[in-house]
Each structure stands twice: as structure tokens, then as C-alpha cells.
């Protein structure tokens, strides 16, 4: 059981380049989230999705885009990368229902923009 | 907007001590609260989840409590070990349909032999 899988694990971008961070889950979860984590700052929500075809902005969406064409996949697109986007990115998924459903995380993508 | 605060930000203790990590939140309309462990350079591992209707959960040496009325949760670690060294984060999931988890900044714990 793979859970939540993120690729790549590491990436270095030049300013102005674009890339897509991949996230896929095999638990048939409808809810998926993208967070970024900066040192000492906890996790900040970038975008989230409550099901295929439905996405919404989180706390820090500027400079990012997402899509959700399938239940399994929730890619995060960075357009025109900037140094401020240097961070560790985490994808997570859950399936709320009765209150006891856990949030599952991928292992993260460490991104540096130089 | 939900605000989650964790105190202390860092903690260094000798092995064997019993520890209390604190998490406070501003909006009591929560779906659940989850405690995570994060090792350096790694992802987040779920430790305990407390549903909105529950008061506490236990797993081994870990015990988490929830008091919605005061907006607080505590994570109790009994007989700490060097292997417990990590950052501990709490996440509060909103009720009302979005279920969006809001995270605190974490408590960085070092347990020295």
C-alpha cells in the first residue's frame, strides 16, 4: 500500500523556470491538500481539493496552480519560479466521514529556486 | 480564521523525563485534532488523532487530551527517550464541510542521554 507518493524528492530551479510537483494517492481519498513548510514556520496551505474537478485556494496560493482531473492525482504547478518559493512542499490526503479519519502525508519535495 | 499555537517552541530534556507539549486553537468548532511527529528532512507521521467528541487518546507512552471549551490540547510523553527527539506538530481540522487542517509551528524536542 503506497499511500501518498510525491515526485520529485529534490529539485533546483532557476528563477523564471516552471515545473510541476506530482502527487498521487491510492487510498481513494476525495480530500487532497498542498502545503509548504518553511523553517520554523509550520505548514501553510497552498491549495486544496474536495474531489475530482473541484479545487480552491488556501492561505498562500500566489504563484501556484493546481488541477484535479482524477481522484488519485493532484499536481501542483509553479509558473515563473521565484526565490520566495524555495521551500519543502508536502501533499496530503484524507477522507472525512465520522471524525476519526487521519491525514496522510507524502514524503515531501525539497525545492530550491536560485 | 483558525489560529494554532504551540508552546514551547523548543525543549531540551534529559532522558527519562515526563513531558507535556501544548497546542492551543482559537476556534472551538473543530472536526478533529491530530498530533504528528516530524524527523529532520522527513515527512509527517501521525501519532494520535482525537475526534471532536473525544477527550483523550493513548498510544504506548503517548497520551493526547482535548479540551474544546478552552481551545487546548496537550501531548504527554512518558519516560522520554533519545529516540523521541523530533519536531511535534498539532493540526486542527475545521468542521463545517471543508475539514481543512491548520497547523501550529511545532515544538522541537531534544532528549539527551
Amino acid at each position: 500500500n503506497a499511500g501518498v507518493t510525491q515526485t520529485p524528492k529534490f529539485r533546483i530551479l532557476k528563477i523564471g523556470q516552471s515545473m510541476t510537483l506530482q502527487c498521487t494517492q491510492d487510498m481513494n481519498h476525495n480530500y487532497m491538500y498542498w502545503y509548504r513548510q518553511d523553517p520554523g514556520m509550520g505548514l501553510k496551505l497552498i491549495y486544496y481539493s474536495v474531489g475530482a474537478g473541484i479545487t480552491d485556494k488556501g492561505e498562500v496560493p500566489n504563484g501556484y496552480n493546481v488541477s484535479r482531473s482524477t481522484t488519485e492525482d493532484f499536481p501542483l504547478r509553479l509558473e515563473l519560479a521565484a526565490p520566495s518559493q524555495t521551500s519543502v512542499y508536502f501533499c496530503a490526503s484524507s477522507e472525512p466521514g465520522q471524525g476519526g479519519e487521519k491525514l496522510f502525508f507524502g514524503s515531501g519535495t525539497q525545492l530550491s529556486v536560485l | 480564521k483558525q489560529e494554532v499555537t504551540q508552546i514551547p517552541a523548543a525543549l531540551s530534556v534529559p532522558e527519562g523525563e515526563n513531558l507535556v507539549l501544548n497546542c492551543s486553537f482559537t476556534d472551538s468548532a473543530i472536526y478533529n485534532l491530530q498530533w504528528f511527529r516530524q524527523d529532520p528532512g522527513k515527512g509527517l507521521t501521525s501519532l494520535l488523532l482525537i475526534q471532536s467528541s473525544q477527550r483523550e487518546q493513548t498510544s504506548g507512552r503517548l497520551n493526547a487530551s482535548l479540551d474544546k471549551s478552552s481551545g487546548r490540547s496537550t501531548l504527554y510523553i512518558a519516560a522520554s527517550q533519545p529516540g523521541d527527539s523530533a519536531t511535534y506538530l498539532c493540526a486542527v481540522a475545521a468542521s463545517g464541510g471543508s475539514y481543512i487542517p491548520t497547523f501550529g509551528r511545532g515544538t522541537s524536542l531534544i532528549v539527551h542521554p
Side-chain angles (χ1 to χ4, degrees):
Chain A
N1 190 352
V4 180
T5 302
Q6 288 185 239
T7 57
K9 293 189 182 301
F10 303 95
R11 184 72 184 268
I12 299 174
L13 286 181
K14 294 182 179 179
I15 294 172
Q17 287 185 321
S18 300
M19 76 163 294
T20 299
L21 282 66
Q22 302 291 344
C23 175
T24 186
Q25 50 90 11
D26 62 0
M27 297 172 282
N28 202 33
H29 287 170
N30 280 299
Y31 286 66
M32 296 187 74
Y33 309 89
W34 274 107
Y35 289 91
R36 61 176 285 172
Q37 184 178 37
D38 300 310
M41 297 299 293
L43 280 76
K44 294 189 182 297
L45 183 67
I46 306 171
Y47 271 94
Y48 69 100
S49 170
V50 301
I54 306 170
T55 63
D56 207 347
K57 296 177 180 179
E59 185 182 1
V60 289
N62 291 343
Y64 307 95
N65 277 300
V66 294
S67 60
R68 186 91 183 273
S69 57
T70 67
T71 299
E72 294 78 18
D73 300 307
F74 190 39
L76 177 71
R77 177 82 176 164
L78 279 72
E79 303 281 1
L80 299 176
S84 61
Q85 293 177 305
T86 294
S87 189
V88 181
Y89 293 83
F90 288 101
C91 178
S93 75
S94 69
E95 186 61 33
Q98 301 301 316
E101 299 77 21
K102 292 183 178 180
L103 186 64
F104 292 87
F105 277 85
S107 57
T109 295
Q110 186 170 330
L111 175 68
S112 295
V113 182
L114 305 175
Chain B
K1 175 187 172 186
Q2 180 74 271
E3 303 280 348
V4 180
T5 303
Q6 290 189 246
I7 294 173
L11 190 59
S12 180
V13 299
E15 181 176 6
E17 279 204 3
N18 299 324
L19 309 172
V20 175
L21 308 183
N22 297 292
C23 173
S24 62
F25 48 93
T26 55
D27 187 348
S28 61
I30 69 171
Y31 180 69
N32 63 31
L33 184 146
Q34 199 164 346
W35 283 92
F36 292 88
R37 170 185 172 135
Q38 185 177 29
D39 293 292
K42 303 294 185 182
L44 281 75
T45 301
S46 179
L47 296 172
L48 290 166
L49 180 146
I50 309 176
Q51 298 182 43
S52 177
S53 58
Q54 297 175 328
R55 296 283 293 183
E56 66 176 345
Q57 284 288 331
T58 298
S59 176
R61 295 182 295 108
L62 304 180
N63 175 276
S65 66
L66 173 64
D67 184 343
K68 283 197 307 178
S69 62
S70 65
R72 293 181 182 180
S73 176
T74 60
L75 178 66
Y76 177 82
I77 303 176
S80 59
Q81 304 171 358
D84 294 329
S85 299
T87 296
Y88 292 81
L89 297 106
C90 75
V92 180
S95 62
S98 70
Y99 308 109
I100 296 175
T102 300
F103 283 80
R105 295 188 178 189
T107 294
S108 177
L109 173 65
I110 297 176
V111 181
H112 49 88

